[in-house]
Amino acid sequence: MYLDAEQVTISLPWGALVEALDDIFTRTVHSPVRHHHHLHVPGDPDATLLLMPAWIEGQYLGVKQVNVFPGNSGRGQPGLSGHYLLSCARTGHHLAQFEANELTARRTAAASALAARYLAREDSRELLMVGAGRMGRRLIPAHRAVRPIERVRIWDIHETGAQALAAELRDEGLDAQAVPADGLAEAAGRADIISCATLSPEPLIHGEWLTPGTHLDLVGSFTPFMREADDEVMRRGAVFVDTREGALSETGDLIDPIASGVIGETDILADFPDLCGGKHPGRAALADPDRAITVFKSVGASVEDLAAAILAYERCRD
């Protein structure tokens, strides 16, 4: 069985995918640290091979392979390609292969929606999307699947991109507007949920902008040299992550404020195993749930890929 990007999309509706992620974080999943391998490419910059395995004993085994070949840009070809291979963990037989870019994008957006279900106010109606790229287009419907979003405001470093995405959403009947380049602070102060998916090396969201009750979803900072939120965000917010191990080692949004003493590792209140397993109820457990500022930082995990692949396979098989 092979599922291309369109088939992956059809096989992973938001509601079912959020539930699959919620479930898998309550199960025993083996997920070794991601493998990095560097490849010499004659005449081109070095390439990188990434391997991300995860398995549930006796049930499913999955591996995501991502190839990063920077030299392809000079040939007008994509620099990144990937696939996901799902196998039976009892016999080793291959079950299905998936186009990995869409699988990854959808499970990432669904993880943010899962976090919002635990951490965003139930009456959240205005979403600010920071970043109008591939992830922004998926994060908006994912958040709408778990909260009654009525208004979407979009900010992007390239304002034309924000305008284009807003126009697409209006065509779908949604109240959507692009935020001017100099309007990010005002939009952040009005939003119930702020979702960020950018490649910014410097903080875009400042803690002083946030109003009580806001939920901040940080997706884009996936290396120690990237940041989407400043120190004041972390100082004011109740901080949650997808996985502690990944978040503490991979994102500048946490590495920098911890290194400078703004927060400590113990200030991270819970991760997905805690939230999904009932060890921490999320916003409901905070001192003032209606006014608390919550922050969710994700870096991604192979367990999420496995959950998405299992769901897509079982829906198509059935």
Side-chain angles (χ1 to χ4, degrees), residues 124-136:
S124 296
R125 285 181 166 77
E126 181 157 330
L127 169 68
L128 170 62
M129 185 68 238
V130 180
R134 177 188 185 92
M135 279 309 308

Side-chain angles (χ1 to χ4, degrees), residues 48-308:
T48 303
L49 167 64
L50 303 174
L51 297 172
M52 287 149 276
W55 63 90
I56 301 173
E57 291 182 354
Q59 297 184 36
Y60 290 104
L61 160 67
V63 180
K64 183 165 71 174
Q65 175 183 334
V66 178
N67 303 326
V68 184
F69 280 68
N72 283 355
S73 60
R75 292 182 284 271
Q77 300 174 359
L80 185 148
S81 61
H83 71 269
Y84 194 92
L85 181 63
L86 184 69
S87 302
C88 173
R90 184 173 295 277
T91 66
H93 292 161
H94 296 168
L95 300 174
Q97 183 175 331
F98 310 88
E99 194 277 336
N101 291 345
E102 188 61 36
L103 185 89
T104 303
R106 292 187 77 80
R107 64 81 158 155
T108 301
S112 288
L114 175 60
R117 195 165 72 173
Y118 285 106
L119 303 175
R121 297 191 333 269
E122 292 186 5
D123 62 349
S124 296
R125 285 181 166 77
E126 181 157 330
L127 169 68
L128 170 62
M129 185 68 238
V130 180
R134 177 188 185 92
M135 279 309 308
R137 282 174 159 76
R138 288 152 183 80
L139 283 159
I140 292 169
H143 279 295
R144 292 187 67 210
V146 298
R147 287 295 181 262
I149 303 298
E150 298 173 349
R151 296 175 298 278
V152 177
R153 301 296 179 256
I154 305 159
W155 184 93
D156 193 273
I157 192 171
H158 302 293
E159 192 172 341
T160 54
Q163 292 170 343
L165 179 53
E168 292 176 20
L169 294 173
R170 287 196 298 273
D171 288 343
E172 298 173 6
L174 187 62
D175 178 357
Q177 297 292 333
V179 175
D182 61 355
L184 183 55
E186 180 183 358
R190 293 178 49 187
D192 299 312
I193 298 174
I194 303 170
S195 185
C196 297
T198 73
L199 299 176
S200 179
E202 302 292 338
L204 294 170
I205 303 298
H206 296 263
E208 64 185 28
W209 298 348
L210 304 179
T211 55
T214 303
H215 172 61
L216 178 59
D217 169 44
L218 301 173
V219 178
S221 172
F222 51 83
T223 77
F225 311 104
M226 302 167 70
R227 290 194 70 175
E228 293 184 310
D230 73 354
D231 287 351
E232 186 64 15
V233 166
M234 299 303 169
R235 184 182 290 112
R236 293 187 66 192
V239 181
F240 299 81
V241 298
D242 52 357
T243 64
R244 291 179 186 271
E245 181 180 16
L248 289 171
S249 63
E250 296 184 25
T251 173
D253 276 329
L254 291 176
I255 292 173
D256 288 354
I258 289 174
S260 63
V262 172
I263 60 171
E265 293 185 10
T266 56
D267 290 313
I268 298 175
L269 299 183
D271 60 7
F272 269 154
D274 297 326
L275 292 168
C276 302
K279 296 179 182 177
H280 193 295
R283 176 174 284 272
L286 302 179
D288 189 349
D290 290 335
R291 295 180 57 82
I293 293 171
T294 51
V295 179
F296 173 69
K297 176 60 212 155
S298 69
V299 294
S302 58
V303 61
E304 297 167 3
D305 295 313
L306 181 63

